[in-house]
Amino acid sequence: MCLRRDTIAHGSVCPQGSNGEYSVKYLFASVAMTLLALRLSAPIRAEDQGVPAASNVPGAQTPRIHSDRRITFSLKAPDAVSLQVAGGDGLGMSPFPMTKGTDGTWSVTTPPSVPGFHYYWFVLNGVAVNDPASETYFGYGKETSGIEVPESSADFYAILNVPHGEVRAKWYLSKTTGEWRRAFVYTPPGYDEHSTTRYPVLILQHGSGEDETGWTRQGRAQFILDNLIAAGKARPMIVVMDRGYAQRAGSPTPGSNAWLQNLHLAFTSFEEVVVHDLIPMIDASYRTIPDREHRAMAGLSMGGMQTLFITLQHLDLFAYIGSLSGPIVPNLGIADLTANRNPQTFDTKTAYGGAFADPSTFNKRVKLLWLGVGTAESDQFRTRIGGAVEALRKAGVNLEYFESSGTAHEWQTWRRDLNDFAPRLFR
Amino acid sequence: MCLRRDTIAHGSVCPQGSNGEYSVKYLFASVAMTLLALRLSAPIRAEDQGVPAASNVPGAQTPRIHSDRRITFSLKAPDAVSLQVAGGDGLGMSPFPMTKGTDGTWSVTTPPSVPGFHYYWFVLNGVAVNDPASETYFGYGKETSGIEVPESSADFYAILNVPHGEVRAKWYLSKTTGEWRRAFVYTPPGYDEHSTTRYPVLILQHGSGEDETGWTRQGRAQFILDNLIAAGKARPMIVVMDRGYAQRAGSPTPGSNAWLQNLHLAFTSFEEVVVHDLIPMIDASYRTIPDREHRAMAGLSMGGMQTLFITLQHLDLFAYIGSLSGPIVPNLGIADLTANRNPQTFDTKTAYGGAFADPSTFNKRVKLLWLGVGTAESDQFRTRIGGAVEALRKAGVNLEYFESSGTAHEWQTWRRDLNDFAPRLFR
């Protein structure tokens, strides 16, 4: 076995004399090349050539981002028959064909992209594969390449010279699922030093196809909180990011066509995890203020659905609620979910089990209901979320509504959402 | 843009009516399919069909591991011209050609693999790409697929029903590099509850091409420590896993052919980070016992080289030293590194700047010198490490030497190493 994948990637054979073994000599060469790559990772070309994306693996020269946010992708693939690059909304909706150069490297430069984090992948002879030059991020139910396109005027999610909290991987045994689960827990700056201070808690959930790593890797939630706290804009808080999937221990596997049953089972199973496993574990493990006035839940997309599904049934546990680009699913049962596939109206009297039926009671009990959407999201998202906002306001339900200008159903929307939402918590 | 990558992977077009947008309807379908996949992830086939690897993404049915540790890999790629699977030492040293089935899915079943974690990748029309069915792990300087092959008799790195520590992502500003760095810090079970207890510290480094994520993802160091501590076999300790690369702020970029200078600069830069940035930050941030008798350093492969390079120059800081499959580089200067490319002997009088010249003093000062290697590693590793062990013992230097039976230059060796090494610390 050659030491370096590149040796294979570039179609050559193992170096002579290596006997296929991982040798000391090639270890040295590998060390040196790795370190060299790190040194080359600084942007050294003129601006019109673009600079390597911050989401590249160390040393990778592409993708390159130009000053007008065009992006140049490339891949050396002398024997490929066809190659495209494709990706999330922010990249422009359709695959870009790549062109083969004389050295076997394919490349393309896209039109200007919107800022933010975009998933992408190559389509190599019809197979979707990741870019070896990119870090990977869990999305679409698998590891996926991602590109960070800077927003020149925004540093709220940058790692700045302010005190930083920690992100802790916390394993816990779920009675609901019978399995060990991993949650990530952000503890604010000073948590260890101020050893008697107690903190409010925000449970913050990812979207469909993503996992508990999403908010700190794609979302940069820890840096958003660090910056808000340093500026005195948000209260120091604990942020819990759990895995939004659960299956009750011993439950049967539904048939593959029973997707609605799966969806409902999964939502109720995750509800049980949050209520019976996660919250008690967090309150037992961290210095929380363990009451509803100091507990919030929010999530993006599927996580927003889950947030509304869970919090509106458990207002004894939550006083702060946020749904970030979360589809509005006005009711809670399987039949309602079915009906909701084509909802025409949002009935504030019956929606979510009647949670909003008495606006005055709701307004006293819920300290914050926050809904958000990106203006470049699809009509269905904007219409449904906007429609619910309008109906709720008309009925007298207090809420905050935030539109992220020009961003789609992706992470730049949700970063901005968190930056607006977090300062409103626990006031 | 279609919601699901699979739509593209399988060569079909976006569903009619989606208008290329990320719609609510397809979000629902995606949620349902994601959740369904999670339910299907349980091993449901007969044993001779194998079971999905624990390292697969949720729901992925391949790679499958058979009871005799043969592995079946597959990828749907109807338009591929050639497809192979290749990987690390434990997979058998050479690429396996895959065969195309009538439905366009290519597959191969390998001979029995050795247990443990193995990096692997596909070679698709000559391009090394990851398996979309696998989690990825940082190795070879990039994200790489990996497969976890169980060792039936070993549960020392399993997640068992014992108290678990946390793994904390800790950002810190390095004066040496001028940049923010991320270290992972394992705090043992009870760290928060026993709020006045202070703990010894082990600095534990990854290998070349890997990064600070290696020891907790590929290595499962946190579970090894949890299990050792629960069994009373190891003292509760803090484990610090830093990024083994550093470049001094403002230092020039050497030429690409100056690999030895790069290597030496990188080692000395990382030495400065450890001595001047990392150790003071850890002692200021965690309840450590901040003296040499309670500070250890160890590393694998390149990390072992770095450990010997750093600790033997700073015995005022370290009393415990471990080199896990670390190439023996007897001297410290650039010229010595060059000479070491073909070392014939290990001279205990001059090696490592004379650190072993007076064995009696060394034995009094160093509480543990630990060296290890896998018996299936290449001759160069075994000969060089074994030769140093023999010379040092002959000279009267106390050391522990551990051979991992049947394992190569990969993670199963280093998991076993840690399991042997950690119990010997801070006694």
Side-chain angles (χ1 to χ4, degrees):
Chain A
M1 176 51 51
C2 300
L3 181 64
R4 289 181 58 81
R5 265 179 69 167
D6 287 350
T7 315
I8 289 173
H10 297 163
S12 60
V13 297
C14 288
Q16 290 298 312
S18 75
N19 293 323
E21 288 186 328
Y22 191 114
S23 72
V24 171
K25 180 176 175 187
Y26 289 104
L27 173 65
F28 284 177
S30 166
V31 169
M33 291 177 76
T34 302
L35 298 167
L36 178 63
L38 290 169
R39 286 171 171 274
L40 288 176
S41 66
I44 54 176
R45 297 202 191 172
E47 192 188 9
D48 64 352
Q49 295 293 311
V51 296
S55 43
N56 291 1
V57 296
Q61 293 299 298
T62 61
R64 301 182 76 82
I65 300 175
H66 303 268
S67 55
D68 58 359
R69 297 200 302 266
R70 287 174 303 129
I71 309 171
T72 299
F73 295 93
S74 73
L75 182 69
K76 186 156 190 175
D79 298 331
V81 177
S82 72
L83 195 60
Q84 302 167 298
V85 63
D89 281 5
L91 282 183
M93 301 290 184
S94 60
F96 298 99
M98 300 172 73
T99 306
K100 187 175 173 178
T102 52
D103 68 343
T105 299
W106 299 63
S107 64
V108 67
T109 298
T110 70
S113 152
V114 298
F117 175 90
H118 314 303
Y119 293 112
Y120 77 98
W121 52 92
F122 290 131
V123 185
L124 172 61
N125 280 32
V127 183
V129 298
N130 286 330
D131 182 352
S134 174
E135 287 288 348
T136 62
Y137 304 85
F138 204 81
Y140 301 89
K142 63 187 76 172
E143 295 289 343
T144 300
S145 300
I147 185 163
E148 183 69 51
V149 179
E151 180 166 357
S152 55
S153 58
D155 67 354
F156 69 91
Y157 53 91
I159 183 162
L160 302 180
N161 194 5
V162 299
H164 288 275
E166 292 178 334
V167 176
R168 306 177 178 198
K170 176 76 178 176
W171 284 264
Y172 70 101
L173 185 57
S174 162
K175 283 177 296 195
T176 304
T177 68
E179 293 177 338
W180 287 90
R181 296 171 60 88
R182 180 179 63 175
F184 286 101
V185 179
Y186 168 86
T187 51
Y191 181 87
D192 277 356
E193 295 85 332
H194 307 138
S195 62
T196 59
T197 305
R198 304 189 75 90
Y199 297 86
V201 175
L202 164 63
I203 298 174
L204 186 62
Q205 290 302 122
H206 59 81
S208 170
E210 298 172 335
D211 71 8
E212 68 273 24
T213 60
W215 265 109
T216 51
R217 299 210 60 232
Q218 292 94 308
R220 303 177 69 86
Q222 68 278 46
F223 304 125
I224 294 172
L225 266 295
D226 288 340
N227 293 333
L228 287 172
I229 293 168
K233 292 180 181 169
R235 276 189 64 172
M237 65 184 81
I238 292 167
V239 183
V240 178
M241 295 153 281
D242 200 14
R243 184 174 182 80
Y245 312 109
Q247 178 178 356
R248 282 187 196 88
S251 72
T253 300
S256 62
N257 57 352
W259 74 270
L260 264 176
Q261 282 80 354
N262 284 331
L263 186 60
H264 190 261
L265 269 172
F267 271 42
T268 56
S269 302
F270 182 61
E271 175 195 358
E272 283 188 35
V273 167
V274 170
V275 171
H276 298 301
D277 300 330
L278 181 66
I279 290 175
M281 180 281 286
I282 292 294
D283 284 338
S285 305
Y286 301 93
R287 297 192 312 277
T288 64
I289 307 171
D291 61 35
R292 66 180 296 283
E293 308 278 325
H294 299 88
R295 192 180 295 118
M297 183 169 180
L300 71 93
S301 196
M302 178 184 84
M305 293 169 65
Q306 293 173 318
T307 295
L308 294 176
F309 182 84
I310 293 171
T311 57
L312 294 175
Q313 293 183 86
H314 296 281
L315 291 180
D316 56 316
L317 295 175
F318 300 95
Y320 297 83
I321 302 168
S323 177
L324 294 57
S325 307
I328 299 298
V329 184
N331 292 296
L332 300 171
I334 290 177
D336 303 316
L337 280 170
T338 311
N340 185 60
R341 293 180 79 179
N342 289 297
Q344 301 304 318
T345 59
F346 184 91
D347 180 348
T348 59
K349 289 293 182 195
T350 58
Y352 291 98
F356 307 111
D358 179 348
S360 167
T361 304
F362 182 88
N363 290 341
K364 280 188 201 123
R365 195 147 172 78
V366 174
K367 304 291 181 191
L368 176 66
L369 173 65
W370 189 104
L371 300 172
V373 74
T375 64
E377 295 197 47
S378 75
D379 277 348
Q380 291 188 60
F381 277 96
R382 285 185 290 115
T383 303
R384 291 162 63 118
I385 296 171
V389 166
E390 189 178 1
L392 287 166
R393 283 186 167 159
K394 197 170 168 187
V397 173
N398 294 341
L399 61 84
E400 293 288 339
Y401 178 53
F402 177 81
E403 288 187 344
S404 171
S405 177
T407 60
H409 198 73
E410 56 175 25
W411 281 95
Q412 198 73 348
T413 298
W414 306 318
R415 291 170 176 169
R416 292 179 183 172
D417 287 350
L418 180 61
N419 197 48
D420 184 86
F421 176 69
R424 302 177 188 277
L425 295 176
F426 316 122
R427 298 296 187 180
Chain B
M1 177 52 50
C2 299
L3 181 65
R4 289 183 58 82
R5 265 181 66 166
D6 288 348
T7 314
I8 289 172
H10 297 165
S12 61
V13 295
C14 287
Q16 290 299 313
S18 74
N19 292 324
E21 287 188 329
Y22 193 112
S23 74
V24 172
K25 180 175 173 187
Y26 290 103
L27 173 66
F28 283 177
S30 167
V31 170
M33 292 178 75
T34 302
L35 298 167
L36 178 65
L38 289 170
R39 288 173 169 273
L40 288 175
S41 66
I44 55 175
R45 298 203 191 169
E47 192 189 10
D48 63 353
Q49 295 293 312
V51 296
S55 43
N56 293 1
V57 295
Q61 293 299 299
T62 60
R64 302 182 75 82
I65 301 174
H66 303 269
S67 55
D68 58 358
R69 296 199 303 265
R70 288 174 304 130
I71 308 170
T72 299
F73 295 93
S74 75
L75 183 69
K76 187 155 188 174
D79 298 331
V81 178
S82 71
L83 195 60
Q84 303 168 300
V85 61
D89 281 5
L91 283 183
M93 300 294 184
S94 59
F96 297 101
M98 299 172 75
T99 306
K100 186 176 174 179
T102 52
D103 70 342
T105 299
W106 298 65
S107 65
V108 66
T109 299
T110 69
S113 151
V114 297
F117 174 91
H118 314 304
Y119 293 111
Y120 78 98
W121 53 91
F122 291 131
V123 184
L124 172 63
N125 281 32
V127 183
V129 297
N130 286 330
D131 183 353
S134 173
E135 287 286 349
T136 61
Y137 305 86
F138 204 82
Y140 301 90
K142 64 186 78 173
E143 295 290 343
T144 301
S145 300
I147 186 164
E148 182 68 50
V149 178
E151 180 166 358
S152 56
S153 59
D155 67 355
F156 69 91
Y157 53 91
I159 181 161
L160 302 178
N161 195 3
V162 299
H164 289 274
E166 292 178 334
V167 177
R168 307 177 179 197
K170 176 77 178 174
W171 283 264
Y172 70 101
L173 185 58
S174 162
K175 283 178 295 195
T176 303
T177 68
E179 292 177 340
W180 287 90
R181 294 172 61 89
R182 180 179 64 175
F184 286 102
V185 179
Y186 168 87
T187 52
Y191 181 87
D192 277 356
E193 295 86 330
H194 306 137
S195 62
T196 59
T197 305
R198 303 189 74 90
Y199 298 86
V201 174
L202 164 62
I203 297 174
L204 186 62
Q205 290 302 121
H206 59 82
S208 169
E210 298 172 335
D211 70 10
E212 68 273 24
T213 63
W215 265 109
T216 51
R217 300 208 60 231
Q218 292 95 307
R220 301 176 70 85
Q222 69 276 49
F223 303 125
I224 295 172
L225 267 294
D226 288 340
N227 293 333
L228 287 171
I229 292 168
K233 291 179 180 169
R235 277 189 65 171
M237 65 184 81
I238 293 166
V239 183
V240 178
M241 295 153 282
D242 199 13
R243 184 174 183 81
Y245 312 108
Q247 178 179 355
R248 281 187 197 87
S251 72
T253 301
S256 62
N257 58 352
W259 73 270
L260 263 176
Q261 282 81 353
N262 284 330
L263 186 61
H264 190 261
L265 269 173
F267 271 43
T268 55
S269 302
F270 182 62
E271 174 196 358
E272 283 187 37
V273 167
V274 170
V275 171
H276 298 300
D277 300 329
L278 182 66
I279 290 175
M281 181 279 288
I282 292 293
D283 285 338
S285 306
Y286 301 95
R287 296 193 312 278
T288 65
I289 308 172
D291 62 35
R292 66 179 298 280
E293 308 276 327
H294 298 88
R295 192 180 297 117
M297 183 170 179
L300 71 90
S301 197
M302 177 184 85
M305 293 167 65
Q306 292 173 317
T307 295
L308 295 175
F309 181 83
I310 293 171
T311 59
L312 294 174
Q313 293 183 85
H314 296 280
L315 291 179
D316 55 318
L317 295 175
F318 300 95
Y320 297 83
I321 302 167
S323 177
L324 293 57
S325 306
I328 299 297
V329 183
N331 293 296
L332 300 173
I334 292 179
D336 303 315
L337 280 170
T338 310
N340 184 60
R341 294 181 77 179
N342 290 296
Q344 302 304 316
T345 59
F346 183 92
D347 181 348
T348 60
K349 290 292 182 197
T350 58
Y352 291 98
F356 307 110
D358 179 348
S360 167
T361 302
F362 182 88
N363 292 341
K364 278 188 202 125
R365 193 148 174 77
V366 175
K367 303 293 180 188
L368 176 66
L369 173 65
W370 189 103
L371 300 171
V373 74
T375 65
E377 294 195 49
S378 74
D379 276 350
Q380 289 188 63
F381 278 95
R382 286 185 290 114
T383 303
R384 290 162 63 119
I385 296 172
V389 166
E390 189 178 2
L392 288 166
R393 282 184 167 159
K394 198 170 168 185
V397 173
N398 294 341
L399 62 86
E400 293 290 337
Y401 178 53
F402 177 80
E403 289 187 344
S404 171
S405 177
T407 58
H409 198 74
E410 56 175 25
W411 280 96
Q412 198 72 349
T413 298
W414 305 318
R415 291 170 176 171
R416 293 178 182 172
D417 288 349
L418 180 61
N419 197 47
D420 184 86
F421 175 69
R424 303 177 189 277
L425 294 176
F426 316 121
R427 300 294 187 181

